[in-house]
Amino acid sequence: MDSFYKSFYVILLILFLGLCDESLAETEKEKSTYIVHVSKSEMPESFEHHSAWYESSLKSVSDSAEMLYTYDNAIHGFSTRLTEEEARLLESQTGVLAVLPEMKYELHTTRTPLFLGLDKSADMFPESSSGSEVIVGVLDTGVWPESKSFDDAGLGPIPSSWKGACETGTNFTTSNCNRKLIGARYFAKGYEAMLGPIDVTKESKSPRDDDGHGTHTASTAAGSVVSGASLFGYAAGTARGMATRARVAAYKVCWIGGCFSSDILAAIERAILDNVNVLSLSLGGGMSDYHRDSVAIGTFAAMEKGILVSCSAGNAGPSSYSLSNVAPWITTVGAGTLDRDFPAYVSLGNGLNFSGVSLYRGNALPDSPLPFIYAANATNATNGNLCMMGTLAPEKVAGKIVMCDRGMSARVQKGAVVKSAGGLGMVLSNTAANGEELVADSHLLPATAVGEREGDAIKKYLFSDPKPTVKILFEGTKVGIQPSPVVAAFSSRGPNSITPQILKPDLIAPGVNILAGWSKAVGPTGLSVDGRRVDFNIISGTSMSCPHVSGLAALIKSAHPEWSPAAVRSALMTTAYTAYKNGQKLQDSATEKPSTPFDHGAGHVDPVSALNPGLVYDLTVDDYLGFLCALNYTASQIETLAKRKFQCDASRKYSVNDLNYPSFAVVFQSMGGSNVVKHTRILTNVGPAGTYKASVTSDTPSVKISVEPQVLSFKGNEKKSYTVTFASSGSTTPQSMSGFGRLEWSDGKNVVGTPISISWD
């Protein structure tokens, strides 16, 4: 009988423990990652160090929670895993400013130096001394250290200011760093807390780049000079980053499952401690107020330390209000085209020819025309025209060229689907969503991409001819394509959805069909079926335009080490151009009409002019704090960003319009607001003494624009202020209308330009 009861109790105990395990597992499932912002000055005297205080606060709400990271530079606080109830309890504690949920960010995914004029002005930029002292930190998918873009030949010792390290991990050792790639780190605790341990059979748990994106952005910003670079012979020539002598520090924060805010903050924390001079982030996703967006919060701290931060605007264009990374202390970069193209023509059986683009290099198609079929006629799937996985019928596709429509899956993936079904080639047609904008791809089979108009014309032929045929003719690389640059249709657009009075993007830079270094862990398409390996790849996105500006900022910083991040950005913005050499305005590929400041910001970057801008609009940390007061941020919201207590002056009238920004976004109130808006600015002379005169152009006659004073005379590093008054006339308010203009200050040599947008809310 005793043995029976013993067995019975053992079974009960096992069941109880099993239920406990299940309960714990369920609790863990309910947990999410949170970033906890604290007011460091409110630490109780009983604690000697803030980390002990953090531990105690955490234990008071959860016995099992552990800290993922502690932060002391990017923010004050820590990240951890909590249930929703635990997070609420923690936020109610004294000294806790905010408990914010983890956010997932996404990557915003040669000819360029020549196109920007850097080849003609090498002597204008410091080559041997300060140019090699500037350090560009890149937050991305890591780095492929063996790329020739990170060759350190000719570089002197690592700058003495550098405090970083070369971390070891899967397939990565300290010997992978050198005098060019001076640092490499990886951050995965936030990722692993959300998605489980990193699968080292699929990606390296180290700074090594298995994706290619990080190597591409880092080499674009500051890659060494590499002769004989190309992708399968396309874009052949010398590849080089914008700042060829700057040093690179890679911070891997993006993995197969995305980029998480706790890891991004940890990387910004380290980059600040490591003493980088420029931070480049080709990622985004935060559309929250600044005090809730980890990128905005972390980069505020970087700005305070004198680090210029360049971020991609996003690839959600051409929709309005599609921007990310719009905080005024971030330089927000949109994308434009180069004057280079990769034509591949579609020649139909009826004799008509249509132009497309392609980076295909492989087995040639027969000289004779091949049978041609529209994907929608080779499938039983309702969306078969999109050539999705498993939708094409091999018996209808085999031996033919297939026409697919763009959308729902990667462009190169569609080619892989056609190939696996036995198709010999592909014509990829844009739909209304992409219009006439063409992006070249290194397809796995002979393929070309055409615009919507061309696609519609080709479909007419397919529907009307009982035995349609086609040939694809690859023409290689063509340069001198005009007009260029053109704003890329995918480039995210303004207005600024968070603060309409701050015009964003700030400017545009090359972001279409950019050649730069690549990872040998993956093929140029990024598809698992792509066994090709390349040293350089051609890809597009604001991810590509952002590091252009990061590298150019490094160049300017090397020439003017005393300039603040705001002064460097101002130089890039006020010298940007908004018209071609023939006087015509920059074009927008989405509308095929002139682009506006909501599309291109201040214009297209012109680094040679930016080196000597004449005047700059400078900003200090106090200016940004005043900006937060103008937004009516609470004391705790300001402290979340500034990491210190700051009291807005109750006797002072703060105005967003007075932030000393190198652009004007004028917003009139539709209902009962004033029809007069004033913006005050301060200009700092960074050139020789001179007298500047103001001139204004505008396309909105119903708004009168006046500048006071109209003439400013400068000596030395003098500062002078002026006010622009915008007066809206007329009894009716334009609904859903925007107007644009430009203010220029000129001394006869330098032109200091600022864009103007006018809107009614």
Side-chain angles (χ1 to χ4, degrees):
M1 203 61 182
D2 285 346
S3 62
F4 169 78
Y5 282 114
K6 279 182 183 175
S7 301
F8 179 71
Y9 284 123
V10 167
I11 291 166
L12 279 177
L13 186 61
I14 289 168
L15 286 170
F16 174 74
L17 290 172
L19 287 169
C20 286
D21 282 346
E22 277 184 35
S23 176
L24 285 169
E26 284 302 311
T27 303
E28 188 54 40
K29 275 184 197 170
E30 291 168 14
K31 286 188 174 184
S32 300
T33 303
Y34 290 90
I35 297 165
V36 183
H37 296 260
V38 302
S39 177
K40 205 172 169 185
S41 62
E42 292 186 36
M43 182 177 77
E45 291 181 5
S46 55
F47 295 100
E48 285 189 15
H49 194 266
H50 61 271
S51 59
W53 177 36
Y54 298 166
E55 286 281 3
S56 175
S57 301
L58 190 53
K59 292 298 178 203
S60 71
V61 299
S62 172
D63 293 330
S64 59
E66 294 180 359
M67 282 190 280
L68 300 174
Y69 296 106
T70 58
Y71 310 96
D72 200 38
N73 290 275
I75 67 167
H76 288 158
F78 58 95
S79 49
T80 186
R81 299 275 292 169
L82 298 169
T83 64
E84 198 175 326
E85 175 63 21
E86 289 166 348
R88 205 161 38 241
L89 283 170
L90 187 58
E91 194 164 33
S92 67
Q93 290 192 5
T94 303
V96 175
L97 297 167
V99 179
L100 303 178
E102 176 91 280
M103 282 180 60
K104 184 180 172 185
Y105 293 77
E106 301 290 349
L107 294 166
H108 285 155
T109 192
T110 239
R111 178 74 184 154
T112 312
L114 206 66
F115 182 67
L116 294 174
L118 294 181
D119 60 311
K120 299 169 188 162
S121 54
D123 55 328
M124 297 173 66
F125 293 98
E127 277 297 317
S128 56
S129 54
S130 56
S132 62
E133 294 298 306
V134 177
I135 303 161
V136 181
V138 182
L139 272 64
D140 213 297
T141 62
V143 66
W144 191 261
E146 294 83 6
S147 169
K148 294 174 185 175
S149 295
F150 306 116
D151 188 338
D152 65 356
L155 283 173
I158 290 169
S160 57
S161 62
W162 176 243
K163 306 292 184 225
C166 196
E167 292 182 352
T168 60
T170 316
N171 305 318
F172 207 94
T173 68
T174 53
S175 63
N176 286 125
C177 291
N178 58 18
R179 289 171 301 179
K180 178 65 170 180
L181 179 63
I182 60 174
R185 298 182 184 273
Y186 69 98
F187 301 84
K189 290 178 183 176
Y191 172 90
E192 291 190 319
M194 291 289 281
L195 299 176
I198 283 166
D199 183 349
V200 294
T201 65
K202 293 180 179 174
E203 55 185 334
S204 304
K205 192 173 179 181
S206 75
R208 183 166 290 280
D209 178 16
D210 304 300
D211 178 276
H213 193 278
T215 301
H216 200 280
T217 54
S219 57
T220 297
S224 301
V225 176
V226 184
S227 59
S230 76
L231 171 64
F232 305 135
Y234 287 103
T238 299
R240 50 164 286 179
M242 298 298 97
T244 57
R245 299 190 65 80
R247 316 301 177 118
V248 174
Y251 298 85
K252 184 175 179 178
V253 296
C254 295
W255 306 84
I256 288 173
C259 331
F260 290 95
S261 50
S262 57
D263 294 328
I264 292 168
L265 277 174
I268 295 173
E269 172 93 4
R270 281 310 321 179
I272 292 170
L273 290 170
D274 291 347
N275 270 350
V276 304
N277 305 106
V278 175
L279 265 181
S280 190
L281 288 80
S282 287
L283 51 85
M287 296 288 278
S288 309
D289 281 348
Y290 311 125
H291 63 89
R292 296 185 64 82
D293 178 5
S294 289
V295 168
I297 295 167
T299 55
F300 189 98
M303 171 275 297
E304 268 195 292
K305 300 290 185 182
I307 300 168
L308 181 135
V309 181
S310 169
C311 289
S312 46
N315 299 336
S319 302
S320 298
Y321 297 99
S322 53
L323 295 161
S324 55
N325 300 318
V326 296
W329 47 89
I330 290 172
T331 300
T332 312
V333 189
T337 64
L338 291 174
D339 62 342
R340 178 179 65 196
D341 211 351
F342 310 101
Y345 294 94
V346 178
S347 180
L348 301 178
N350 62 1
L352 292 177
N353 295 312
F354 298 93
S355 60
V357 295
S358 181
L359 294 167
Y360 173 74
R361 183 75 83 215
N363 295 329
L365 289 167
D367 285 337
S368 56
L370 289 169
F372 194 21
I373 188 170
Y374 184 36
N377 297 329
T379 179
N380 292 322
T382 52
N383 62 350
N385 62 308
L386 299 175
C387 297
M388 307 287 279
M389 295 278 284
T391 59
L392 296 180
E395 65 274 12
K396 293 185 177 181
V397 166
K400 296 176 183 175
I401 290 179
V402 181
M403 183 169 196
C404 303
D405 286 330
R406 191 169 163 185
M408 295 291 288
S409 64
R411 299 182 300 271
V412 288
Q413 179 76 55
K414 296 175 189 296
V417 170
V418 171
K419 188 177 182 181
S420 68
L424 296 182
M426 175 179 71
V427 175
L428 180 61
S429 173
N430 279 0
T431 60
N434 304 102
E436 302 313 308
E437 178 173 74
L438 299 179
V439 179
D441 294 297
S442 49
H443 293 283
L444 289 167
L445 82 173
T448 185
V450 298
E452 182 191 14
R453 276 198 303 266
E454 288 82 357
D456 288 345
I458 294 168
K459 284 170 197 168
K460 270 187 187 174
Y461 165 68
L462 276 167
F463 297 148
S464 62
D465 193 307
K467 290 189 176 180
T469 61
V470 68
K471 287 168 68 174
I472 302 175
L473 309 168
F474 300 94
E475 296 288 311
T477 305
K478 303 283 185 194
V479 295
I481 306 298
Q482 296 301 330
S484 61
V486 171
V487 179
F490 62 74
S491 187
S492 288
R493 315 301 174 97
N496 182 336
S497 61
I498 297 177
T499 316
Q501 298 87 347
I502 301 296
L503 181 61
K504 291 281 184 173
D506 291 313
L507 73 173
I508 62 169
V512 178
N513 296 335
I514 304 301
L515 178 80
W518 197 246
S519 166
K520 284 287 186 75
V522 66
T525 62
L527 299 175
S528 58
V529 295
D530 189 354
R532 301 171 298 176
R533 294 296 179 263
V534 295
D535 293 311
F536 292 87
N537 199 9
I538 295 172
I539 55 175
S540 302
T542 54
S543 276
M544 284 60 257
S545 52
C546 165
H548 278 89
V549 168
S550 309
L552 296 173
L555 277 181
I556 295 171
K557 189 75 176 169
S558 69
H560 302 285
E562 75 285 1
W563 282 9
S564 70
V568 174
R569 172 178 56 196
S570 174
L572 289 164
M573 288 177 66
T574 61
T575 58
Y577 60 90
T578 57
Y580 304 111
K581 287 177 181 172
N582 64 5
Q584 298 293 312
K585 292 182 178 179
L586 292 188
Q587 295 291 298
D588 176 6
S589 65
T591 62
E592 297 184 286
K593 294 176 182 176
S595 61
T596 75
F598 286 157
D599 310 322
H600 61 233
H604 191 282
V605 67
D606 179 1
V608 178
S609 299
L611 196 63
N612 296 296
L615 308 172
V616 295
Y617 294 85
D618 209 353
L619 281 161
T620 66
V621 177
D622 285 345
D623 292 319
Y624 290 119
L625 291 171
F627 166 77
L628 299 177
C629 290
L631 295 179
N632 295 317
Y633 271 25
T634 65
S636 64
Q637 288 168 348
I638 292 175
E639 191 173 355
T640 299
L641 278 156
K643 306 186 308 301
R644 63 180 183 278
K645 293 193 181 299
F646 179 83
Q647 198 64 46
C648 298
D649 185 346
S651 65
R652 181 179 161 192
K653 190 169 185 276
Y654 294 96
S655 172
V656 177
N657 295 341
D658 292 341
L659 184 69
N660 202 38
Y661 215 73
S663 57
F664 298 91
V666 182
V667 181
F668 289 105
Q669 305 298 316
S670 298
M671 302 297 291
S674 170
N675 64 348
V676 175
V677 175
K678 291 178 183 281
H679 286 244
T680 299
R681 295 289 188 271
I682 299 169
L683 283 163
T684 303
N685 184 31
V686 293
T691 298
Y692 285 79
K693 294 180 180 177
S695 64
V696 178
T697 54
S698 168
D699 65 4
T700 314
S702 64
V703 175
K704 187 182 176 187
I705 305 171
S706 57
V707 182
E708 184 62 37
Q710 292 188 313
V711 177
L712 295 173
S713 293
F714 293 90
K715 300 172 188 170
N717 289 327
E718 251 191 324
K719 293 178 184 288
K720 292 285 178 78
S721 70
Y722 69 92
T723 299
V724 187
T725 302
F726 302 89
S728 174
S729 60
S731 55
T732 59
T733 301
Q735 294 297 319
S736 306
M737 175 189 152
S738 296
F740 303 98
R742 185 172 173 84
L743 166 63
E744 293 183 347
W745 290 94
S746 178
D747 64 350
K749 182 184 175 187
N750 288 305
V751 175
V752 183
T754 47
I756 298 167
S757 69
I758 301 166
S759 55
W760 286 259
D761 76 353

